[in-house]
Amino acid sequence: MFKKTLHISTSPHLTKGIGTDDIMRNVVWAMLPVALYSVWSFGLGALVVLATSTTACVLTEHFLAKISKKESTISDWSAAITGLLLGLTLPPGFPMWMAFLGGVVSIALGKFVFGGLGYNVFNPALVGRAFLQAAFPVAITTWHPVYAPDRFTTVPSATFTAPFMEPSTVDAFSGATPLSAFKFDHVVTNSYDLALGLIPGSTGETCAALILLGGLYLIARNMMNWRIPASILLTVFLLSGALYLANKEAYPSPDFMLFSGGLMLGAVFMATDMVGSPVMPAAVWLYGALIGVLVVVIRIWGGLPEGVMYAILLGNAVAPHLDNLIRPRVYGTVKTAKKS
Amino acid sequence: MKEAGNTSGQTSGQKMLLTMTGIGVFCALMIVLSYQGTLPRIEQLKAEALEKAIFKVVPGMESKRTFRMESDGSFTEVSGKEKDARLVYAGYDKEGKLVGVAVEAAGMGFADVIKVIYGYDPEKEAVVGFYVLESKETPGLGDKIEKDPNFLANFEALDVSLTEDKSKTKNTVVAVKHGEKKNNWEVDGITGATISSRAIGNLLGTSTAEMAPVLHKNKAFFEVKKGQ
Amino acid sequence: MSQLTKDKTGEGFWGNLANSPSTNEFLKGLWKENPVFVQVLGMCPTLAVTNTAMNGLAMGLATTFVLLMSNILVSSLRNVIPKQVRIASYILIIATFVTMTDYAIQAISVDLSKALGAFISLIVVNCLILGRAEAFASKNTVGKSMLDALGMGFGFVIGLLSLGAVREILGNGSIFGIPVFPASFQEWVIMILPPGGFFTLAMWLMFFNHRKQKKAAL
C-alpha cells in the first residue's frame, strides 16, 4: 500500500519554477552590457539600429499573434531577444527601414511560420540576418569607424534613408573589418584591439570580453549549456591553430580567429538557442564541433570573409538529427527495428 | 476507370515496336526539319553577337580579319569560325590601318567562369575596350562588371606597355579596391563585388601578360593587307 | 474525369460562365486547377527562371506551346499507342517539341536563350506536361485536349508572371524592364536569387490557401 507522503505525478518533475520568461529576461540582462558598449563605441547609429530591430520584432510578434487569433506572446521576452540579437549583428548606421524589414523577416519567416516559440528550426535572428545579407549585400558590409568624435551628436547619413531607397555611403567605409582585411589584403589586426572592441564591425560583435562575461553570467545561473560555446571555440582554436602551425604565412593565428568577427557573439548567444541546439551532451559536443569546423572552413576557403552565421544555421538544421544519432538503443530492441 | 480504346494486356511486342519506331521516325524528322530551318538564323545571330562585341572593344574599327594563333606564337589568317582554335580579331579603320586586336580571355569568377573579350592597341600598348561575353556572377552585385560605368571606364586605356626588350609586360594588370587606383595598369574595383572585380583583374593580367608581347611582335604582320 | 470536374465547377462565379463543358475544360486550368498555385506542378522552371517578368512570360509561353502540341499529338494517337509503352512515347513526343522550341528561341533572340538557358531543355521533365498527357489527353478527344492544354498553359503563364513580376519589382525596381521606382531604389538582391523564388512562391501559396480557407469557412 502507498503511503500518502509519496506524491505520484507524471513527468516532468520540475524542482524549480524557472519559466521561459525567467530565462529570457536573464538573457536580456546578459546581453545588455554588450548592447550598451556598442552604443558607447558607435554612438547614435548603433542605438537606432538596436531600437529599430527590437521594435520590429516585438511588433511583428504581436501583430502575427493577433491575426492568427492567439494570445500575444511578447511578454515572454523572446521576441525582444531576437530583435536585440539581430540588431547586434547589423552594422551601425544600417538604414532603419532595412533593420525593420530584418526584424519582420526574423519573426515571420524565422519563427511564426514554423509555429512560434519552441518550434522554430533555425535561430530567428540569424534567419533575418541571412535575409538581409542576401538582399542588401552592400549596405550590410558598410561599416563605421569606432569612437568617432561626433558619434553622440550626429547619426550616420544612411540611417534615415527613406524606405526602399538606396542608402548614401558618404560617411562610411566599405569592407574593412579585420576579417575582410585579412581575407582580401592579408592585413592582421592586433588581437588586443579585437578582444576589447577597438575595431569596426557589427554593433555587437566587436567587444569579445563583454560577450564572454554575459555568457559566464548565464552559465553561472545554469541558464545556458556551457558545452556549446566551449565546443565551438575549442574547435575553432584547435583547427585554426593546426593550420597556423602548418603555414604561418597563409593562415591567420588562432587568437585572431577567436576574437574577430561574430564568432564570440554567435557562439555565446546564438548557437545556444535552446530550440535550435541538441539536448544530449555528446550531441552538443558534435554540434559545437560542426559549427566550429564550418566557421574555419568558410572563413579560410569560402568566398565570404565571415562564416559564423551560415555555420550556425547549418548547425541548427542538423541539431535534431544529432540527437537522434546519439540516442542510445533501447535495451532489447534490434537494430533493424526502425521506429522513431 | 474506363479504358481509352486499346486492348489492354494483350498487345503484341510487334505492335509496341512498330508504334515506337513510328513515333521515333516522326520525331526525328520534326527535329531535323526544325534544326535545318533555324540553323542559319542561329549561326547568324551568334556571329552577330560576337561581331558586335569585337567592334565594341576596338574603337574606330571598320573592318575585321580573323587570325588563328599557332603554338609557336605566329598567326595564320583564317576565314570564318574555327572550332578549338585560339582566334584573335584584328580591326582596321577606313584606310585599312590597324587600330587594335580583339582577344578573348576567360577566368574563374565568384560563381562560374567569366568569359570576356578585350581590345589591345599595339600602338598605344594598352587595353582599349572590354566586354563581358559570358558570366554567371550574382545579379545586382557581381554582374556590375558588365555595366558599372566607373568600372568599365578602367578599360578605356589600361596600360599594358612592354619592357625595353619587348618580351613581357612592364606591370601586370591587377584589381585594387574602389577609389584606390593610382596607376593606370590598375583596375578600380567595385564596392561590394570585390571577388568579381578581382577575377576580372586577374584574368586580364594573365591574358595580357601572355598576349601583349606576342601581339606586339606580330604588329607588322597584322598590318600587311591581304592580296594588296 | 471530365464529369467530375464539371460537377466541381458548377457553382460560384466560374460556374455561371462555364455552362458548356468545353469552356470548363479551358477555364479550370486558369483558376480552379491552376498548375502553379493549386496543383504545384512544374516547380523547377517556376522557381528558376522567374527572376524577371519577361523571363517568366517567355518560359510560360514556351511551356504552353509544348503542352499544346504534345496534348494534340498524344490525344490523336491515343488509340494507337499500346498501354505498355505509353510513357516512353509521351516523353519522346514531348522531347521533340521541346527541342524544336529550344531552336526557335535561339533563333528569336540570343539574350532570351541565354537567360532561359538549360531550363528550356528541362521542360521535357516538367511533370505538368507529362501529367496532362497521361491524365487528360490520353483519354479525351483532340478538341478537348487542346482546350485543356491552353487552359493549363495559360494558368502556368499566370503563375510564372505573378512570380516574375513580384521578384522583378522588388529585386530590380522594374517590371518588363520599365523602372517603377526612382533611380535611387535599393534592389533586394535576394529576390532575383534562388531564395527569392522560394519566398515569393510561399507568399503566393499562403495568399491562395488563406483565401480558400476563408471561402470554406463561409
Side-chain angles (χ1 to χ4, degrees):
Chain A
M1 284 273 95
F2 289 113
K3 283 181 181 168
K4 277 276 178 232
T5 47
L6 187 63
H7 177 73
I8 298 172
S9 68
T10 55
S11 62
H13 308 285
L14 284 180
T15 54
K16 209 173 169 189
I18 297 185
T20 311
D21 51 333
D22 289 310
I23 296 179
M24 294 296 172
R25 205 172 44 244
N26 275 290
V27 175
V28 173
W29 295 142
M31 283 197 299
L32 222 51
V34 183
L36 288 177
Y37 176 79
S38 77
V39 174
W40 167 248
S41 57
F42 291 110
L44 290 176
L47 183 68
V48 173
V49 168
L50 291 174
T52 312
S53 60
T54 311
T55 315
C57 281
V58 173
L59 282 180
T60 312
E61 176 101 357
H62 184 72
F63 180 69
L64 287 176
K66 207 144 208 196
I67 61 164
S68 61
K69 299 193 178 67
K70 281 183 202 147
E71 206 179 320
S72 178
T73 42
I74 50 172
S75 55
D76 69 5
W77 290 81
S78 66
I81 289 183
T82 300
L84 201 55
L85 266 181
L86 173 68
L88 290 175
T89 62
L90 298 174
F94 194 61
M96 261 178 94
W97 74 268
M98 293 183 188
F100 194 90
L101 181 74
V104 173
V105 170
S106 291
I107 296 294
L109 280 183
K111 200 163 119 184
F112 183 75
V113 294
F114 291 105
L117 182 68
Y119 298 99
N120 47 306
V121 182
F122 302 103
N123 183 319
L126 283 180
V127 172
R129 156 89 204 199
F131 182 89
L132 291 176
Q133 163 101 58
F136 313 113
V138 176
I140 212 163
T141 49
T142 305
W143 312 101
H144 284 261
V146 71
Y147 291 121
D150 58 347
R151 64 186 187 278
F152 294 118
T153 48
T154 53
V155 174
S157 58
T159 299
F160 293 119
T161 311
F164 296 105
M165 293 301 134
E166 207 173 353
S168 89
T169 48
V170 273
D171 52 0
F173 59 104
S174 165
T177 57
L179 270 176
S180 52
F182 181 84
K183 176 130 209 156
F184 299 125
D185 302 301
H186 255 251
V187 177
V188 181
T189 314
N190 182 339
S191 301
Y192 172 78
D193 288 351
L194 289 172
L196 292 181
L198 308 173
I199 37 135
S202 298
T203 53
E205 69 180 26
T206 55
C207 186
L210 281 175
I211 298 170
L212 277 179
L213 210 66
L216 287 176
Y217 168 75
L218 287 176
I219 290 168
R221 307 234 23 199
N222 207 10
M223 287 174 173
M224 179 193 281
N225 192 340
W226 62 272
R227 292 178 187 92
I228 296 173
S231 57
I232 295 176
L233 298 177
L234 193 69
T235 311
V236 170
F237 185 80
L238 289 180
L239 189 56
S240 60
L243 286 170
Y244 183 64
L245 285 183
N247 187 349
K248 286 187 185 181
E249 288 294 302
Y251 300 113
S253 67
D255 48 325
F256 174 81
M257 288 289 275
L258 276 189
F259 290 117
S260 59
L263 180 62
M264 280 294 163
L265 188 71
V268 173
F269 287 117
M270 293 180 172
T272 50
D273 185 330
M274 292 180 174
V275 186
S277 53
V279 183
M280 315 277 293
V284 169
W285 283 105
L286 261 178
Y287 167 80
L290 177 76
I291 294 177
V293 170
L294 283 172
V295 168
V296 175
V297 167
I298 296 176
R299 276 190 185 176
I300 291 181
W301 292 290
L304 294 160
E306 175 60 301
V308 173
M309 174 178 77
Y310 294 118
I312 296 177
L313 286 172
L314 285 167
N316 285 158
V318 297
H321 305 296
L322 290 177
D323 263 339
N324 265 341
L325 190 77
I326 293 302
R327 195 182 50 173
R329 200 168 352 126
V330 175
Y331 181 73
T333 56
V334 218
K335 214 172 191 176
T336 46
K338 246 170 133 185
K339 191 92 169 79
S340 61
Chain B
M1 281 282 168
K2 87 182 161 205
E3 261 319 311
N6 65 60
T7 48
S8 58
Q10 281 122 28
T11 321
S12 70
Q14 208 182 0
K15 194 189 169 196
M16 281 188 236
L17 204 67
L18 215 67
T19 325
M20 288 299 287
T21 316
I23 296 176
V25 168
F26 171 76
C27 291
L29 203 70
M30 296 290 282
I31 292 179
V32 169
L33 276 178
S34 59
Y35 178 73
Q36 291 290 350
T38 52
L39 186 66
R41 167 99 177 130
I42 293 173
E43 294 273 282
Q44 188 202 343
L45 278 177
K46 277 192 177 150
E48 263 173 24
L50 183 68
E51 193 100 325
K52 229 168 72 191
I54 293 167
F55 278 79
K56 216 177 220 160
V57 297
V58 182
M61 171 170 162
E62 292 288 333
S63 63
K64 150 197 116 162
R65 278 161 69 193
T66 309
F67 295 90
R68 182 177 65 224
M69 188 176 161
E70 309 293 356
S71 49
D72 60 351
S74 67
F75 290 89
T76 326
E77 180 157 10
V78 290
S79 56
K81 187 128 178 112
E82 289 208 0
K83 285 241 158 30
D84 302 324
R86 298 185 62 183
L87 299 177
V88 299
Y89 311 93
Y92 305 88
D93 64 7
K94 270 200 195 90
E95 285 83 46
K97 203 175 137 294
L98 181 72
V99 286
V101 183
V103 184
E104 286 181 57
M108 192 61 199
F110 181 64
D112 201 348
V113 171
I114 305 175
K115 272 194 193 153
V116 305
I117 188 164
Y118 67 90
Y120 171 74
D121 186 338
E123 205 62 53
K124 290 186 205 149
E125 299 193 7
V127 169
V128 288
F130 169 86
Y131 181 76
V132 178
L133 292 173
E134 250 182 80
S135 102
K136 294 196 178 74
E137 300 300 280
T138 320
L141 206 60
D143 73 344
K144 281 189 188 157
I145 55 167
E146 291 175 40
K147 52 204 175 204
D148 188 274
N150 288 330
F151 185 70
L152 294 180
N154 282 311
F155 310 106
E156 277 159 19
L158 190 68
D159 181 33
V160 285
S161 52
L162 302 175
T163 48
E164 285 303 309
D165 60 351
K166 305 290 181 200
S167 63
K168 56 178 191 282
T169 49
K170 235 185 267 168
N171 308 290
T172 308
V173 172
V174 67
V176 295
K177 225 180 283 173
H178 180 58
E180 288 181 10
K181 175 169 174 161
K182 286 184 205 80
N183 307 298
N184 44 7
W185 64 81
E186 286 170 344
V187 175
D188 192 7
I190 301 167
T191 307
T194 319
I195 295 165
S196 303
S197 320
R198 268 167 208 245
I200 296 293
N202 288 342
L203 77 87
L204 278 184
T206 318
S207 176
T208 51
E210 187 203 345
M211 298 300 288
V214 186
L215 291 173
H216 193 268
K217 200 173 85 189
N218 285 288
K219 194 172 79 174
F221 175 77
F222 293 128
E223 294 274 17
V224 178
K225 283 175 203 131
K226 185 169 60 174
Q228 282 179 12
Chain C
M1 170 88 198
S2 64
Q3 193 62 40
L4 201 81
T5 33
K6 198 168 77 184
D7 289 344
K8 268 201 289 187
T9 37
E11 57 197 34
F13 174 63
W14 293 122
N16 300 333
L17 255 173
N19 282 327
S20 78
S22 15
T23 336
N24 180 32
E25 298 305 351
F26 176 69
L27 286 175
K28 70 171 193 280
L30 293 187
W31 192 254
K32 276 256 144 145
E33 293 176 27
N34 186 295
V36 176
F37 298 129
V38 180
Q39 303 188 61
V40 199
L41 283 179
M43 286 298 104
C44 165
T46 305
L47 293 167
V49 293
T50 53
N51 49 6
T52 66
M54 192 61 214
N55 286 355
L57 181 68
M59 187 69 198
L61 289 179
T63 310
T64 307
F65 172 75
V66 174
L67 186 56
L68 179 65
M69 298 310 281
S70 76
N71 256 16
I72 292 176
L73 207 62
V74 166
S75 169
S76 48
L77 292 177
R78 69 185 188 279
N79 294 329
V80 183
I81 299 172
K83 207 178 158 213
Q84 292 89 333
V85 291
R86 68 187 193 284
I87 300 288
S89 312
Y90 300 160
I91 288 289
L92 205 57
I93 291 168
I94 294 166
T96 306
F97 290 116
V98 169
T99 313
M100 287 168 64
T101 315
D102 194 14
Y103 288 139
I105 286 180
Q106 282 185 37
I108 291 167
S109 152
V110 174
D111 289 334
L112 192 62
S113 74
K114 235 179 165 178
L116 298 178
F119 294 104
I120 287 293
S121 318
L122 285 177
I123 297 179
V124 176
V125 289
N126 188 330
C127 42
L128 171 65
I129 298 173
L130 187 62
R132 290 333 283 177
E134 167 78 3
F136 198 92
S138 64
K139 294 166 188 154
N140 286 288
T141 58
V142 177
K144 268 189 180 173
S145 299
M146 274 174 76
L147 283 171
D148 176 73
L150 284 175
M152 286 292 160
F154 287 131
F156 197 61
V157 171
I158 291 173
L160 259 55
L161 251 185
S162 38
L163 250 82
V166 171
R167 292 179 69 185
E168 193 181 346
I169 289 172
L170 288 177
N172 205 24
S174 64
I175 183 144
F176 285 109
I178 305 156
V180 290
F181 283 108
S184 63
F185 175 73
Q186 168 70 53
E187 299 93 357
W188 302 22
V189 179
I190 193 171
M191 295 312 279
I192 34 180
L193 297 178
F198 284 91
F199 287 145
T200 318
L201 180 66
M203 295 299 168
W204 279 114
L205 285 178
M206 218 150 92
F207 172 72
F208 278 102
N209 283 332
H210 184 70
R211 272 183 54 115
K212 223 202 263 164
Q213 272 180 2
K214 251 190 169 169
K215 242 186 182 167
L218 281 176

